[in-house]
Amino acid sequence: MVRVGYFLSCEEYGPDELVEQAVLAEQSGFRGLWISDHYHPWNDEQGQSPFVWSVIGAISQVCGLPVTTAVTCPTVRIHPAVVAQAAMTSATMLGGRFTLGVGSGEALNEHILGDPWPHAERRLEMLEEAVEVIRRLWSGEVVSHEGEHYTVDTARIYTLHRPPPQIYMSAFGPKALEVAARIGDGFITTQPDAESVRRFRELKGWHAPCMAGFKVAYAETAEEGLDHAYRLWASSGVPGELSQVLPSPQHFEQAASLVTRESVADATVCGDDVQQHRAAFDPFADAGFDEVYVANMGPNYRRMIEFYGDEVLPAVSS
């Protein structure tokens, strides 16, 4: 049994749909919300990318669930001093029910201002300094900072929530996990990776919180669900560091052309089989995650959320 939340995909749905999904998720018994933070979708077929901070503001007025960004990159496209203000405003509007999920980002979103896309080790260095800046600004004090990557000149955040939000870090690989344990309050990922959970808690403490998320394609038939998953999210099958370095939806479409329909079917729950949807949570529960968030792929999100409320959450959610 895990705490189950709903994952809002800003790459696939417009702002009104995302707000609607948040309301429906709360009504159906989901326990929290993840929301992605993108400038571009992964491919043109997904077709959306609303500004996450505006959507969070709207959600705060109609929904009482806690919200976590999954994840924000506070290093290149948006300066960490601005992310600090946006996150604290979100925490205030949500009455403290906000967690800042951060990660080292993808060129897909971060290259837009023409800045060079750093290598992986440099991105981790930037993220660590960015989180330092964010936490200092959350103190409410006047902050000046001259670091290797960022400068802040006599900045102060006046709209504050106490206590400040927690910060969860996305991490893939041992070096990133070490950084996550050093700068984060929790760990966030999209794989049922028991070894990463074990290592993070070994470094951070055995009760350190860990979140994960995955996607399903709800439909009346498995074949219809697979159609939606393959059309919209074949890009999820792009391997390795490619997902961090490809710069545009068009590049992802080219890479995803090598992803087979069969591989998507093997990796994705499609259709309306109750047992398959319930069983999808088992690897995450077995790996030790406290919270698991599930997203829908395709147009059937209303029915999926209702279906989960009736058939899935009572069996898997704590």
Side-chain angles (χ1 to χ4, degrees), residues 175-240:
K175 189 174 183 68
L177 277 168
E178 290 178 6
V179 175
R182 190 160 58 243
I183 70 173
D185 301 298
F187 169 55
I188 188 168
T189 189
T190 56
Q191 300 294 327
D193 186 348
E195 177 57 28
S196 291
V197 171
R198 185 201 64 78
R199 179 58 177 158
F200 179 77
R201 287 179 171 151
E202 183 180 74
L203 294 167
K204 189 70 180 178
W206 291 110
H207 297 290
C210 297
M211 291 181 173
F214 68 99
K215 294 179 173 64
V216 301
Y218 179 85
E220 290 185 358
T221 67
E223 195 67 19
E224 181 197 342
L226 180 55
D227 287 343
H228 297 314
Y230 188 63
R231 173 175 58 88
L232 292 161
W233 288 94
S235 54
S236 295
V238 173

Side-chain angles (χ1 to χ4, degrees), residues 17-315:
E17 291 176 304
L18 294 168
V19 172
E20 179 191 11
Q21 289 176 30
V23 172
L24 293 173
E26 183 174 31
Q27 293 172 351
S28 291
F30 285 91
R31 304 287 299 280
L33 299 170
W34 267 15
I35 186 166
S36 56
D37 180 359
H38 271 243
Y39 194 89
H40 292 136
W42 297 101
N43 54 60
D44 284 351
E45 187 69 27
Q46 291 174 352
Q48 293 289 341
S49 61
F51 189 52
V52 69
W53 303 108
S54 300
V55 179
I56 290 172
I59 289 171
S60 75
Q61 301 305 292
V62 297
C63 177
L65 293 177
V67 177
T68 300
T69 52
V71 292
T72 290
C73 177
T75 59
V76 178
R77 170 171 47 107
I78 302 180
H79 193 283
V82 179
V83 173
Q85 183 189 28
M88 189 59 84
T89 298
S90 296
T92 301
M93 296 185 74
L94 287 160
R97 302 182 308 276
F98 177 76
T99 299
L100 179 62
V102 300
S104 58
E106 304 96 9
L108 174 71
N109 301 303
E110 305 305 319
H111 81 281
I112 60 169
L113 302 180
D115 300 286
W117 183 236
H119 57 76
E121 187 170 335
R122 178 61 59 86
R123 296 201 302 271
L124 286 174
E125 292 174 2
M126 294 173 71
L127 182 58
E128 186 161 7
E129 185 177 336
V131 169
E132 176 190 354
V133 168
I134 289 167
R135 290 195 188 277
R136 287 185 62 191
L137 284 164
W138 283 352
S139 72
E141 303 293 329
V142 176
V143 173
S144 293
H145 173 90
E146 293 187 10
E148 182 176 353
H149 304 289
Y150 303 106
T151 298
V152 178
D153 182 12
T154 57
R156 179 183 175 189
I157 293 177
Y158 282 81
T159 298
L160 299 168
H161 185 275
R162 291 290 179 258
Q166 290 198 317
I167 296 176
Y168 285 26
M169 181 177 153
S170 171
F172 298 94
K175 189 174 183 68
L177 277 168
E178 290 178 6
V179 175
R182 190 160 58 243
I183 70 173
D185 301 298
F187 169 55
I188 188 168
T189 189
T190 56
Q191 300 294 327
D193 186 348
E195 177 57 28
S196 291
V197 171
R198 185 201 64 78
R199 179 58 177 158
F200 179 77
R201 287 179 171 151
E202 183 180 74
L203 294 167
K204 189 70 180 178
W206 291 110
H207 297 290
C210 297
M211 291 181 173
F214 68 99
K215 294 179 173 64
V216 301
Y218 179 85
E220 290 185 358
T221 67
E223 195 67 19
E224 181 197 342
L226 180 55
D227 287 343
H228 297 314
Y230 188 63
R231 173 175 58 88
L232 292 161
W233 288 94
S235 54
S236 295
V238 173
E241 199 179 350
L242 277 178
S243 61
Q244 278 78 56
V245 301
L246 293 178
S248 74
Q250 291 71 37
H251 287 95
F252 273 93
E253 289 167 4
Q254 293 166 16
S257 69
L258 302 175
V259 177
T260 66
R261 184 179 174 91
E262 291 73 23
S263 67
V264 173
D266 289 341
T268 309
V269 175
C270 300
D272 64 353
D273 185 284
V274 173
Q275 294 306 321
Q276 289 183 11
H277 282 273
R278 291 176 179 175
F281 289 87
D282 291 344
F284 296 96
D286 293 344
F289 287 95
D290 309 290
E291 301 183 29
V292 180
Y293 292 76
V294 57
N296 183 67
M297 296 180 280
N300 302 317
Y301 62 83
R302 296 183 187 91
R303 181 69 187 104
M304 177 270 191
I305 293 171
E306 181 183 1
F307 168 77
Y308 265 66
D310 292 341
E311 303 290 347
V312 180
L313 297 183

